[in-house]
Amino acid sequence: MSINCNKNCCENKLNSPYIKKILEILGPVILGSKPAEILNISGEMNLKKNKLNEIESFFDKCSKINYKIINTYDGGIRVLFINKKSMSRVFTNKKCINFLKFLGYPSDYDMETYINVLINKLHSPNFPNEIGIFLGYPLKDVLGFMGYGKNELYTTRVWKIYGDPSISYEVCNSFLKDRAIMKEMINNNSISELRSVI
């Protein structure tokens, strides 16, 4: 898979252990199997600021993924990374859109609006469990986790899987595969070679 970022955003921070860790986690988002990932920024305030500075420096002009910094009600910081091309594939599923409408999202679907509604909910004390849809988890698993539908808990892998696990395993395996690919790329490629992918 060829992903080109022709910006100079990626070179300066490549040797940062923190950015390398983030890149591995974001492998499925960067490579397109996963529409989004949310990360908590941990540590005391100066450490959080340093981490955010590294994220901004590395990803600010990257053309393949966007990010949103979210300040939570309790002083926490989260970063939502989004691959809009992959996200648009999620919302070709009308059942996902209908469920989000049921939860109060606007009746006229617009991806940017739906992402903004999710971000607003992430500021509040009530964590929006429907985020699983935005993270690319199968709808049946999101519904089961939220107490909707008739599927029983089958197992827990990266997330809780409800009902028939076959589609869940397929999705999970694609995420894990892309993460492994990104880890190998980080370990085995030069800065210029990685820049052509990220």
Side-chain angles (χ1 to χ4, degrees):
M1 174 178 285
S2 175
I3 300 175
N4 296 317
C5 177
N6 54 12
K7 310 292 183 191
N8 292 324
C9 61
C10 304
E11 193 151 1
N12 293 337
K13 293 290 183 180
L14 194 58
N15 292 319
S16 160
Y18 181 66
I19 290 299
K20 286 182 178 181
K21 177 183 168 188
I22 297 290
L23 284 173
E24 181 183 340
I25 293 167
L26 294 179
V29 180
I30 293 167
L31 297 175
S33 64
K34 191 171 190 185
E37 183 64 75
I38 189 161
L39 300 176
N40 287 316
I41 307 299
S42 59
E44 49 86 22
M45 190 47 72
N46 282 337
L47 182 57
K48 287 180 182 179
K49 286 180 184 176
N50 289 339
K51 289 177 177 179
L52 285 176
N53 285 338
E54 287 195 49
I55 288 169
E56 290 172 352
S57 175
F58 192 87
F59 291 103
D60 235 15
K61 295 185 174 135
C62 206
S63 61
K64 291 299 161 189
I65 60 173
N66 300 65
Y67 68 92
K68 305 280 186 181
I69 297 171
I70 301 158
N71 296 300
T72 63
Y73 76 99
D74 58 358
I77 299 174
R78 295 184 177 119
V79 182
L80 180 67
F81 293 90
I82 304 159
N83 180 322
K84 289 187 177 178
K85 186 175 180 181
S86 295
M87 187 71 74
S88 67
R89 286 195 304 266
V90 167
F91 289 118
T92 60
N93 183 339
K94 300 284 188 219
K95 290 180 181 179
C96 289
I97 293 173
N98 288 337
F99 182 63
L100 291 173
K101 288 177 184 178
F102 168 75
L103 295 176
Y105 284 70
S107 58
D108 292 328
Y109 165 73
D110 173 75
M111 183 171 63
E112 287 296 327
T113 302
Y114 274 38
I115 289 170
N116 288 332
V117 170
L118 177 70
I119 288 169
N120 285 336
K121 289 184 167 199
L122 286 164
H123 289 289
S124 75
N126 300 319
F127 190 82
N129 289 316
E130 71 269 15
I131 194 173
I133 293 171
F134 294 84
L135 299 178
Y137 302 159
L139 180 61
K140 69 177 185 65
D141 296 334
V142 177
L143 291 172
F145 184 77
M146 295 181 71
Y148 295 101
K150 58 185 186 236
N151 290 323
E152 297 291 324
L153 178 64
Y154 180 81
T155 190
T156 300
R157 199 158 175 198
V158 176
W159 62 85
K160 291 182 186 285
I161 295 172
Y162 292 80
D164 180 2
S166 56
I167 187 69
S168 304
Y169 285 165
E170 185 180 325
V171 170
C172 185
N173 288 339
S174 69
F175 294 171
L176 295 174
K177 178 183 170 192
D178 279 354
R179 187 166 175 169
I181 289 169
M182 183 58 69
K183 182 176 184 176
E184 185 176 341
M185 289 167 56
I186 292 164
N187 291 334
N188 298 324
N189 290 283
S190 69
I191 291 172
S192 59
E193 289 168 330
L194 276 168
R195 282 184 65 225
S196 71
V197 175
I198 302 165

